[in-house]
Amino acid sequence: MSANIIETENLTKSYGNFTAVSNLSLHIKKGSVYGFLGPNGAGKSTTMKMLLGLTKPSSGSFHINGRTYPKDRLAILRDMGSFIEAPAFYGNLTGEENLEILRRILQLPKSAVEDALEIVGLTEHRKRLAKKYSLGMKQRLGLAGALLGHPPILILDEPTNGLDPIGIHEIRTLVRSLPEKYDCTVLVSSHLLPEVELMADDFGILNHGRLLFEGTMAALKRTADAAGLPTHDLEETFLAMIDIDNRNRGERR
Amino acid sequence: MTAYISPFCMPFLEMRKMKRTGFCQAFLGGGALAALVPVVNMALRAETFTSQPGSPFQILMEANWQLMAQLNIFLLVCGACLLYHTEYADNGLQKARSLPLGSSGLFLGKLGILLSAGLIPLCLETASLTLCCMRWFPDRPGESLRILTGMAFAFAMLLPTGAAMLLLSSMCRNMWISLGAGVILVFFASMLPASSSSVSDVLALVPFCGPYRMLHELPGREAALWTVCLCLGESVLLCAAERVYQSIRRCFA
Ligand SMILES: Nc1ncnc2c1ncn2[C@@H]1O[C@H](COP(=O)(O)OP(=O)(O)OP(=O)(O)O)[C@@H](O)[C@H]1O
Ligand SMILES: [Mg+2]
């Protein structure tokens, strides 16, 4: 078996004649934090939804922890904590009751809920209805749901959206610490390269459904250097990469 | 090894999600209203009915069941809409779909609750019909068995309607659409003719029409058993349809 815990092979998703994700082959190492980058509409969320079985790939396949979808659907989902796009919860329940439902489905011990609430800093507000939470609190509740029971694989789609600077820093530190603490692999998406740089070991850059780059930060700098892109500022490297790809796309048309 | 939640626990879990939605209150209130129908009718025009010959239960059913059954169907419509509204309102369904649950677990859990809740009005109606028999027909005792079988039959006739309505509401992200469609179906079904026997035998199997049927209208025990079995089969088919719908939905989600 390879050291990759998640591997996709030519994963493709089309909606009608529009291709949201095209021939994507990701390699995510066990115990690493993988930063998944791309501008709006690049296909990050769509890719994550395919990994979670929320949407069916048009073609291609993926393996997670040596298991294949859809044959081992339950076993795959058992190993994954996820947070996709907007936080998903039941507004008529309190934060604690929301997590309690997840805990029962996942058959975890009672302490798991307190644990998760503590990690995301919601302990104080656990008795409040989830629909009365502020945006950042809803986001934190979503994160708590993903972290519940410390699953071996975490899929986080823009987890720092709507959080205050302290929250962003906390989440960043948390994500960074997960592999050592819980032997966890994290796939985290973002729009900002400098932001993921602080958390991730490996990076995948996506634009219009196609993977532009995959590898470590050092490899990214080498690639950018070779292509004559600016490397002193990561933001600029990222923007230049996307810009060149967009221009190439224009020519291909 | 890793444990999965047993399907039999799903209805209890789904019940937890219905906290503070007024689900139980709706069934209690609606059931009380339906149970009042025969009482009020008897209190106002006792002579009209006490002068009729035959079984008191059948007299009461002939006089009131049309309205009571319609209330029962309405309750199922509202209950089904409410059950999925909590899922869609704050996107809880997306989280639920990325948990290790069998693909029909959610639907079957909700169906279990909806049908159990359907028993609430039926029990209240059974009680009120029994009271009416004792109060206004003291000279014609021995109706209890007839009432019980009659109401058990009524429950069986509610099954396809409940399953069909739940399927409809699981398809609609917006509760108002499923509620509107449900109400239209209720009115449409109540206008279909129920007189000629061969037509009404078929109509008994159509969701939204079936609950108007009464046990004593059927030609015999065998016909009643057949109708009940066909209703059960129909409900199973509707559950299978939900499964098919889910896998189609995943291609476009
Ligand atoms: N159900 C759908 N039907 C049609 N097109 C869709 C559907 N879902 C997503 N898309 C399209 O697929 C593309 C990729 O969307 P996706 O949500 O994956 O982007 P993203 O990378 O997560 O963007 P963002 O950073 O804004 O969250 C978009 O152009 C979007 O419009
Ligand atoms: Mg997205």
Side-chain angles (χ1 to χ4, degrees):
Chain A
M1 230 196 86
S2 65
N4 295 330
I5 193 163
I6 302 180
E7 257 182 12
T8 73
E9 283 117 48
N10 295 320
L11 206 58
T12 302
K13 178 73 193 182
S14 311
Y15 295 107
N17 51 18
F18 169 75
T19 308
V21 176
S22 159
N23 288 309
L24 186 65
S25 297
L26 293 177
H27 307 84
I28 302 174
K29 292 196 207 79
K30 190 168 176 4
S32 70
V33 176
Y34 190 102
F36 200 34
L37 281 151
N40 287 138
K44 304 178 297 292
S45 302
T46 307
T47 307
M48 291 173 156
K49 282 183 190 166
M50 283 193 276
L51 295 180
L52 287 166
L54 290 171
T55 173
K56 198 176 168 222
S58 307
S59 68
S61 63
F62 60 86
H63 304 273
I64 294 181
N65 223 348
R67 303 188 180 104
T68 45
Y69 192 87
K71 192 164 66 79
D72 307 314
R73 176 174 170 272
L74 288 187
I76 290 177
L77 291 181
R78 188 76 178 70
D79 283 352
M80 293 210 283
S82 65
F83 175 83
I84 298 290
E85 286 178 341
F89 55 89
Y90 300 103
N92 55 316
L93 304 180
T94 65
E96 194 176 31
E97 285 164 353
N98 265 288
L99 295 178
E100 181 65 20
I101 289 195
L102 302 183
R103 180 190 78 76
R104 280 170 189 262
I105 293 177
L106 295 170
Q107 309 257 291
L108 298 168
K110 275 222 147 43
S111 58
V113 171
E114 284 161 47
D115 232 37
L117 283 169
E118 191 65 50
I119 291 177
V120 299
L122 274 183
T123 311
E124 200 186 328
H125 311 291
R126 66 185 191 281
K127 299 270 186 236
R128 193 176 298 173
L129 289 190
K131 68 174 165 216
K132 305 248 161 102
Y133 276 175
S134 73
L135 179 64
M137 283 153 82
K138 286 176 185 166
Q139 192 84 359
R140 284 163 195 259
L141 178 62
L143 278 171
L147 292 166
L148 203 66
H150 308 299
I153 303 168
L154 261 178
I155 296 200
L156 304 177
D157 194 6
E158 294 168 36
T160 51
N161 238 358
L163 293 192
D164 52 40
I166 303 169
I168 293 180
H169 182 80
E170 280 171 10
I171 296 303
R172 210 185 276 153
T173 319
L174 173 71
V175 168
R176 186 61 271 170
S177 70
L178 286 170
E180 289 123 63
K181 258 202 209 148
Y182 304 110
D183 193 23
C184 181
T185 309
V186 189
L187 171 60
V188 53
S189 82
S190 173
H191 303 121
L192 307 167
L193 183 53
E195 145 126 16
V196 244
E197 191 212 352
L198 300 170
M199 316 189 241
D201 307 299
D202 295 310
F203 303 84
I205 298 181
L206 201 65
N207 191 33
H208 290 289
R210 293 185 319 115
L211 195 63
L212 299 186
F213 169 85
E214 183 178 52
T216 59
M217 187 48 70
L220 177 62
K221 284 197 170 135
R222 274 199 305 277
T223 316
D225 238 356
L229 302 177
T231 51
H232 56 278
D233 183 354
L234 285 171
E235 187 87 56
E236 257 167 59
T237 314
F238 177 59
L239 291 176
M241 260 181 130
I242 302 288
D243 188 47
I244 288 176
D245 185 61
N246 283 345
R247 258 183 278 150
N248 288 344
R249 260 174 62 87
E251 278 164 28
R252 278 199 302 270
R253 284 249 164 106
Chain B
M1 239 208 28
T2 43
Y4 298 106
I5 186 165
S6 137
F8 299 105
C9 296
M10 283 310 287
F12 299 100
L13 208 74
E14 293 297 327
M15 202 59 234
R16 286 175 166 262
K17 294 183 188 168
M18 298 314 290
K19 255 191 200 172
R20 307 183 192 91
T21 54
F23 182 78
C24 288
Q25 290 88 326
F27 276 87
L28 281 171
L33 193 64
L36 269 180
V37 171
V39 177
V40 171
N41 213 351
M42 283 310 289
L44 293 180
R45 330 180 268 169
E47 266 93 280
T48 333
F49 303 114
T50 45
S51 60
Q52 290 175 23
S55 150
F57 173 61
Q58 284 172 14
I59 296 170
L60 286 168
M61 287 292 272
E62 293 284 354
N64 306 301
W65 189 242
Q66 189 74 15
L67 188 54
M68 293 165 79
Q70 193 161 44
L71 279 168
N72 290 345
I73 303 174
F74 261 125
L75 282 175
L76 286 190
V77 168
C78 296
C81 290
L82 213 48
L83 279 165
Y84 269 97
H85 177 64
T86 49
E87 295 285 349
Y88 281 121
D90 295 294
N91 208 15
L93 191 55
Q94 189 192 58
K95 182 73 197 172
R97 281 181 178 145
S98 59
L99 292 171
L101 289 175
S103 46
S104 297
L106 206 74
F107 183 80
L108 292 180
K110 290 189 188 296
L111 187 60
I113 294 187
L114 186 64
L115 296 178
S116 322
L119 279 174
I120 300 176
L122 283 179
C123 288
L124 293 174
E125 287 158 18
T126 309
S128 97
L129 287 170
T130 311
L131 285 176
C132 286
C133 286
M134 296 196 314
R135 167 78 175 74
W136 280 286
F137 300 92
D139 49 329
R140 288 178 244 178
E143 283 296 278
S144 5
L145 188 64
R146 224 181 246 144
I147 296 178
L148 279 180
T149 50
M151 294 316 259
F153 179 77
F155 178 66
M157 301 309 285
L158 276 180
L159 299 179
T161 306
M165 192 57 218
L166 199 62
L167 177 61
L168 179 64
S169 70
S170 79
M171 290 175 175
C172 303
R173 179 163 281 277
N174 185 335
M175 178 186 69
W176 296 108
I177 294 180
S178 47
L179 189 61
V183 169
I184 290 170
L185 282 170
V186 172
F187 276 112
F188 187 69
S190 68
M191 282 186 293
L192 291 176
S195 49
S196 71
S197 70
S198 62
V199 175
S200 58
D201 280 350
V202 178
L203 283 183
L205 301 172
V206 178
F208 298 95
C209 290
Y212 296 110
R213 295 288 284 173
M214 292 172 271
L215 182 57
H216 66 261
E217 288 177 340
L218 293 165
R221 181 177 235 155
E222 202 156 316
L225 273 178
W226 266 110
T227 312
V228 169
C229 288
L230 285 172
C231 278
L232 282 175
E234 200 183 338
S235 313
V236 173
L237 274 182
L238 284 164
C239 295
E242 148 79 18
R243 227 188 151 102
V244 173
Y245 166 74
Q246 287 302 338
S247 61
I248 295 172
R249 188 197 55 81
R250 260 212 286 277
C251 296
F252 300 99

